[in-house]
Amino acid sequence: MTSLIKKNASGNTADGDANLLVNEVVGVPGGIGEAARLARAAAYDTFLRRLLPSREGVALLAVGGLGRRQCAPYSDLDLVLVHAGVPGTDELAASIWYPIWDAGLRLDHSVRTVAEALSVAQDDVKVALGLLDARLIAGDPALADALSRTAADHWRRTAVRHLTGLREITTARWQAHGELAFLLEGDLKEAAGGLRDVGLLRAISAAGITDALRPAVRAAHLRLLDTRDALHQQVGRRVDRLVAQERAGVAALLDLRQLQPGASDAARRPGAVVDDGDALLRRVAGDARTVSHALDDAFRAADRLRSGRSRGGNGRSARRPVARDVVEHDGELVLARTAIGARPDPSLSLRMAAAAATTRLPIARATCEWLAAYCPPLPAPWPAEARAALITLLGAGPGLVPAWETCDRYGLVDGWLPEWTRLRSLPQHNPVHRYTLDRHLVQAAHEASRHAREVDRPDLLLLGALLHDIGKGLPGDHSTVGVPLAQAVATRIGLPPGEVELIGTLVRLHLLLPDVATRRDLADPVTIASVAEAVGDTGTLDLLHALVRADAAATGPAAWSDWKGRLVAELVARVRTALDTGVLPEPPAPDPALLAGPLPVVHLTGDRVSVAAADRRGLLATVAGCLALHRLEVISADASVVDGRALVECRVQPRYGLPPDPVPLRADLRRAVGGDVSVTQRLRGRALAARGSGAAPRVVWHREAATDAVLLELRAADAAGLLYRVTCALDEAGALVRAARISTLGADVVDAFYLVGGWPDDEARARLEAAVLAAV
């Protein structure tokens, strides 16, 4: 049995009374699945029929989930009291609504005559759709039948006209809620591909425009309903958003405990399972894609019907050739008659996809079905024509994603890349990622096409972008694990050995540039030499630079920023100089303004903070603390001593919102570096109040990463004032920091500190490490 949240007479949730057992009043059963939903609808029907005596001229109709007999455990009730102008209707309505509220049920209600209901439906397409689900609960059947028949007939006559406005409303909803297939925490009802879209498909089918509710759509719909049932039961209230903390429980209720692709070897033992909710996310993603594709087809069918009517006559349109074996017909791409009659070419599906991507026209459903059934598999290695079609598809820009999604829907992509089965709908449990893995890879290829003119081999850039994360979901570092997988694909596609090797290099090194740019001192010759040695030549360097930007753009807005772009560009420029000339570039000279004038010197310019003071220990810690006090995050910091002056130069960004007022910031910096005790006390008090949480911090030493220093890398939870606390600890332990690089990864940081001297003594390093961890 289930419990529903109680509402008072106004329809609002009653505070402190969320545990009312409605089954005691209504007898509403719980459970998951179609049988449970039908049982709940029957229980509601029985309860509601007691509230309306048999009476001519009045009918109680259910719409929404109850109208469709698809009641979730905590569904609302949507009811319409229809009358023929009989007196006392308001009192009758109150006698129905109040017992419903008293039973603890959520209620959406209206009272209208048949004419009023039809008039509202003419002006409000949402009401018109609701009436398509109207079902008599109690009262006058003739009155209910008149409303239902008239509403359905009106919808059939006006649906094509209404669908334009309905599509605009739907598009706005999609923009607000995103695509269910690609979200880690999507709304099962409102997101694109969710239950609300199934309602649109049902309405389009009711209008006779097309058979939108095909068996695959019906099956997907039932699974989405089951998922919502389980979510309600897991949470214990009405909720449609599948959040991360409920995922495993919902998966268990749906009996989705199963081995996932890419599970560890231990999990592959007979009987082993992986119960992390990924099975649920992948199933929801697949069902959402099915619904989304069906709705796209239905809207196109409505467009064809509308354009056919506007042309008049028989509404036929001409067939226009757009590529070999591909023609346009009624705004869709179909196969030429000669291609259907001849023996199919194995590259035909790829050529059709490339044509769809370049023309940005959809492929007709019947054509996709024919290709899936009759197009022969590609040989290994691929013929040149198939390889060229793939590169054309990947480089098509905005047309790539919809064309790829369509082909994936009909199983064509699995024929091109058997590895895609494992990648499809694979969640990426990282807050910076907005897409599932397969969509991220396709999006990365799309983004890479923007940089095609910057590299010598744009074809390898596009293929590298498609394959760069192919190792994700498997045990180990995906940059390493993915190399043989990507090379196997490149070999099967027909690339020569040298290019196969280059694809492997792009996969192995696709994180090199951003990792080094944000975690290492770019002025250190060892940094530049190590990257130059790994990359090997300027052509590969250009490919990696383009791939980095495409990968970040396909990941999400949190994966890239102006400062990261500048750091990567600076690294690329220095490595290019080393590769071109064989000479490592000189480190940049300090700001000349810091070397002149009375001390202290404080300069604030854009995202840079520069300070010069009398040579003393702890200057970096003081500057870092003062910046934290003004809610500025330090991205990088360099400390040096020139002509007896201690110099600290930092790149910063606001931790929250707008940058701070420069006047008090400058004043606090001058006072702090001058030794003002009051500022120091404020720094220590604020720093001690802001501690990180989560997993235990960790220190990693890198002994060969710098010319004149040893690198201490701290991996910890992010927190305000962290850099100040750590630099204070380093200073008090006798370590001299000449540079620091701060890399924030979601809620964690990887902070690298260049410590002057080798620190060869194990006991001294252990003591320093303990001091750093204690400061975190």
Side-chain angles (χ1 to χ4, degrees):
M1 295 301 205
T2 187
S3 64
L4 299 183
I5 298 176
K6 183 176 181 179
K7 281 194 171 184
N8 56 26
S10 64
N12 298 321
T13 303
D15 293 336
D17 196 7
N19 296 317
L20 177 68
L21 292 178
V22 174
N23 59 290
E24 295 179 0
V25 180
V26 184
V28 180
I32 299 167
E34 187 172 16
R37 291 188 289 273
L38 291 173
R40 280 191 288 272
Y44 285 131
D45 287 357
T46 300
F47 170 71
L48 293 172
R49 288 188 185 112
R50 301 192 194 113
L51 304 179
L52 180 65
S54 178
R55 184 171 177 181
E56 188 176 350
V58 178
L60 182 63
L61 278 66
V63 295
L66 180 57
R68 299 186 297 273
R69 293 188 174 91
Q70 293 171 351
C71 302
Y74 292 86
S75 285
D76 293 354
L77 294 186
D78 297 322
L79 300 175
V80 181
L81 185 64
V82 183
H83 63 95
V86 298
T89 304
D90 291 341
E91 292 78 5
L92 178 61
S95 70
I96 299 172
W97 308 149
Y98 276 87
I100 295 173
W101 286 323
D102 290 340
L105 299 172
R106 293 173 178 267
L107 175 63
D108 187 8
H109 60 88
S110 62
V111 181
R112 294 185 176 115
T113 65
V114 171
E116 289 170 344
L118 295 174
S119 176
V120 174
Q122 288 180 354
D123 299 329
D124 189 336
V125 67
K126 292 182 180 179
V127 175
L129 297 185
L131 289 179
L132 296 178
D133 297 325
R135 180 174 63 84
L136 178 66
I137 298 295
D140 191 337
L143 189 66
D145 184 61
L147 176 60
S148 298
R149 282 189 297 101
T150 307
D153 181 66
H154 178 267
W155 174 250
R156 282 190 292 271
R157 289 184 287 104
T158 62
V160 173
R161 173 169 53 85
H162 278 306
L163 283 178
T164 300
L166 186 58
R167 183 182 294 185
E168 294 176 358
I169 296 172
T170 301
T171 301
R173 172 169 54 82
W174 291 344
Q175 291 173 347
H177 295 278
E179 298 175 85
L180 181 58
F182 308 122
L183 296 173
L184 288 176
E185 295 188 335
D187 189 304
L188 296 171
K189 185 175 183 180
E190 302 293 345
L195 295 170
R196 184 78 72 185
D197 284 353
V198 179
L200 295 180
L201 290 171
R202 188 168 49 253
I204 292 172
S205 293
I209 295 173
T210 184
D211 179 19
L213 294 176
R214 299 187 294 276
V217 176
R218 295 179 186 274
H221 181 211
L222 290 176
R223 286 191 293 267
L224 288 174
L225 289 172
D226 289 350
T227 302
R228 186 176 64 172
D229 288 352
L231 179 59
H232 282 204
Q233 189 160 312
Q234 170 71 17
V235 178
R237 59 185 173 86
R238 180 182 180 272
V239 61
D240 294 319
R241 188 177 176 214
L242 182 59
V243 296
Q245 60 263 33
E246 308 298 348
R247 197 181 299 143
V250 172
L253 288 172
L254 293 171
D255 197 23
L256 289 178
R257 297 170 58 92
Q258 62 184 23
L259 185 64
Q260 293 299 297
S264 65
D265 291 339
R268 294 181 183 279
R269 293 194 301 269
V273 297
V274 176
D275 184 20
D276 58 1
D278 280 8
L280 174 63
L281 283 178
R282 297 184 81 149
R283 192 178 86 166
V284 168
D287 292 336
R289 279 174 158 161
T290 297
V291 172
S292 291
H293 291 314
L295 189 55
D296 287 342
D297 285 346
F299 277 138
R300 288 202 301 272
D303 290 340
R304 290 194 300 273
L305 184 59
R306 182 170 52 251
S307 62
R309 289 176 179 175
S310 65
R311 282 194 296 266
N314 58 21
R316 292 179 180 175
S317 62
R319 295 166 65 91
R320 178 177 66 89
V322 297
R324 185 166 72 89
D325 297 327
V326 181
V327 299
E328 177 197 351
H329 178 67
D330 270 341
E332 295 181 327
L333 295 186
V334 300
L335 288 170
R337 295 185 179 94
T338 54
I340 297 175
R343 183 177 181 180
D345 176 0
S347 67
L348 184 57
S349 62
L350 272 166
R351 291 192 286 109
M352 173 63 75
T358 53
T359 62
R360 302 190 195 179
L361 291 173
I363 308 173
R365 185 181 82 187
T367 298
C368 291
E369 293 172 343
W370 190 94
L371 289 169
Y374 299 109
C375 190
L378 286 158
W382 288 10
E385 190 173 26
R387 190 164 57 253
L390 175 64
I391 298 304
T392 301
L393 170 62
L394 297 178
L400 165 62
V401 173
W404 190 280
E405 281 288 307
T406 297
C407 292
D408 195 23
R409 168 191 179 188
Y410 290 95
L412 301 179
V413 174
D414 288 350
W416 310 335
L417 302 172
E419 298 83 358
W420 209 253
T421 301
R422 180 179 60 82
L423 306 176
R424 183 178 295 109
S425 301
L426 185 66
Q428 302 195 80
H429 300 291
N430 188 309
V432 301
H433 276 280
R434 59 181 172 181
Y435 293 131
T436 53
L437 178 57
D438 56 335
R439 173 61 185 274
H440 168 70
L441 294 176
V442 177
Q443 190 71 28
H446 161 55
E447 300 293 345
S449 68
R450 304 177 190 272
H451 306 288
R453 298 183 182 180
E454 303 172 15
V455 298
D456 293 335
R457 292 297 304 270
D459 54 336
L460 298 185
L461 170 62
L462 296 170
L463 189 58
L466 182 70
L467 301 175
H468 73 280
D469 277 346
I470 194 172
K472 280 189 174 179
L474 298 175
D477 181 354
H478 75 278
S479 298
T480 302
V481 173
V483 171
L485 301 176
Q487 289 179 329
V489 173
T491 301
R492 188 168 66 248
I493 287 174
L495 296 185
E499 295 177 6
V500 170
E501 186 67 25
L502 182 52
I503 290 295
T505 299
L506 295 180
V507 173
R508 185 176 67 256
L509 301 181
H510 74 272
L511 296 177
L512 175 67
L513 296 182
D515 283 353
V516 171
T518 56
R519 301 183 189 179
R520 297 293 182 264
D521 181 9
L522 304 188
D524 193 314
V526 170
T527 300
I528 305 305
S530 63
V531 175
E533 181 181 3
V535 171
D537 58 76
T538 56
T540 303
L541 179 65
D542 289 337
L543 286 170
L544 286 171
H545 190 199
L547 178 55
V548 163
R549 289 172 285 167
D551 185 15
T555 297
W560 197 250
S561 62
D562 291 341
W563 70 265
K564 182 180 283 189
R566 289 196 299 270
L567 289 176
V568 171
E570 180 181 345
L571 172 61
V572 169
R574 289 176 173 273
V575 173
R576 184 184 304 281
T577 299
L579 291 171
D580 283 341
T581 66
V583 178
L584 296 174
E586 291 292 328
D591 184 354
L594 298 178
L595 303 178
L599 297 176
V601 179
V602 176
H603 283 171
L604 308 178
T605 55
D607 65 347
R608 289 182 177 271
V609 174
S610 304
V611 174
D615 186 13
R616 66 176 179 84
R617 298 185 66 88
L619 182 61
L620 175 58
T622 300
V623 172
C626 196
L627 294 175
L629 195 64
H630 288 264
R631 297 183 177 181
L632 283 173
E633 290 183 331
V634 177
I635 300 167
S636 66
D638 293 290
S640 59
V641 178
V642 179
D643 297 334
R645 292 182 174 224
L647 310 180
V648 173
E649 299 180 78
C650 300
R651 279 181 171 171
V652 299
Q653 66 182 7
R655 189 172 185 87
Y656 309 107
L658 298 175
D661 187 339
V663 175
L665 172 59
R666 184 180 290 107
D668 274 352
L669 281 169
R670 293 180 66 86
R671 293 164 55 203
V673 300
D676 190 318
V677 177
S678 64
V679 178
T680 306
Q681 290 174 341
R682 288 167 57 203
L683 297 179
R684 290 188 176 276
R686 182 73 62 87
L688 291 174
R691 294 279 176 165
S693 59
R698 182 184 173 207
V699 166
V700 179
W701 294 85
H702 301 274
R703 302 193 56 80
E704 306 296 333
T707 305
D708 58 351
V710 64
L711 191 65
L712 182 152
E713 192 174 81
L714 170 65
R715 303 173 184 178
D718 189 19
L722 177 63
L723 179 61
Y724 170 64
R725 296 196 303 274
V726 174
T727 48
C728 281
L730 290 170
D731 181 59
E732 292 169 0
L736 180 61
V737 180
R738 73 159 176 80
R741 295 294 180 269
I742 314 304
S743 179
T744 304
L745 307 171
D748 293 332
V749 294
V750 179
D751 293 352
F753 299 92
Y754 285 76
L755 309 182
V756 176
W759 288 83
D761 183 75
D762 291 343
E763 183 178 346
R765 283 203 312 275
R767 186 173 64 254
L768 187 62
E769 180 175 331
V772 168
L773 294 175
V776 176

